[in-house]
Amino acid sequence: MKDCKEFIRRQLIERRNLLTVEEIRDKSSAIVERLKETGRLEKAETIMAYMCMKSEVITRELIGNILAEGRTVCLPIVIEKEKKLKIYRIESIDSDVVPGAFGIYEPLQLPERRINPADIDLVFVPGVGFDIRKNRIGFGGGYYDRFLSRLRPETLKIGLSFDCQVIHELPVEKFDVKMDIIITESRILT
């Protein structure tokens, strides 16, 4: 299973990396428009996002827009030694985000801004790939699967993905957490 997942992971990263900067920007904008069409974002008060890196779906503008609406946005911090995520609220995408583990931009670790996972209404989940049954494959560290399994059952898990990252079927293990929705530039999988 591990070798199979690693092969798929490499293939999907290669596909995503073939996208041009313009394609990533345009497709990311289309994904945000599709997200708005679902009406799900408006119902959430506390939203966990992620800061995109390299060829991932661009999230910066989306985060800025949610903050401007006065809602709570939180981001994860990777705790490498413990293989887990800690979540902190941000008030500004410009001043509250700094480079962290694996080159991922993370929120400032201010104790008064720590967020309890039980308070999160919606999570945008990054992924190397997804399948049509809403399964996800990440980079293989298990950080998100461990975190997502701790959320309230009604917390909405939305995978943001380019079409080129969605395949028919991924190998699934018992600890893998499914998404509730996957949004690409051309479709919404529910």
Side-chain angles (χ1 to χ4, degrees), residues 83-171:
K83 291 257 189 205
K84 69 179 190 177
L85 302 176
K86 286 186 180 177
I87 314 305
Y88 291 84
R89 177 177 49 84
I90 64 168
E91 293 176 359
S92 166
I93 198 160
D94 295 318
S95 60
D96 292 349
V97 180
V98 296
F102 306 111
I104 300 168
Y105 278 80
E106 299 178 337
L108 297 174
Q109 291 188 53
L110 302 173
E112 67 275 14
R113 292 191 185 176
R114 181 95 186 262
I115 295 284
N116 181 336
D119 295 333
I120 298 171
D121 301 313
L122 183 152
V123 179
F124 295 122
V125 185
V128 170
F130 299 89
D131 71 17
I132 59 173
R133 295 178 303 160
K134 298 179 284 189
N135 293 303
R136 171 189 169 274
I137 188 169
F139 282 100
Y143 293 92
Y144 269 89
D145 287 312
R146 278 190 283 284
F147 173 76
L148 294 171
S149 68
R150 295 176 33 223
L151 297 173
R152 291 176 290 129
E154 63 271 19
T155 300
L156 191 64
K157 298 172 291 297
I158 300 179
L160 302 178
S161 172
F162 300 120
D163 280 328
C164 65
Q165 296 173 258
V166 179
I167 63 174
H168 183 70
E169 187 175 358
L170 286 169

Side-chain angles (χ1 to χ4, degrees), residues 60-84:
R60 187 177 182 86
E61 187 177 333
L62 173 62
I63 293 167
N65 290 341
I66 296 167
L67 285 169
E69 293 169 359
R71 288 186 280 160
T72 301
V73 175
C74 49
L75 298 171
I77 291 177
V78 174
I79 309 299
E80 289 181 77
K81 289 181 181 176
E82 300 173 38
K83 291 257 189 205
K84 69 179 190 177

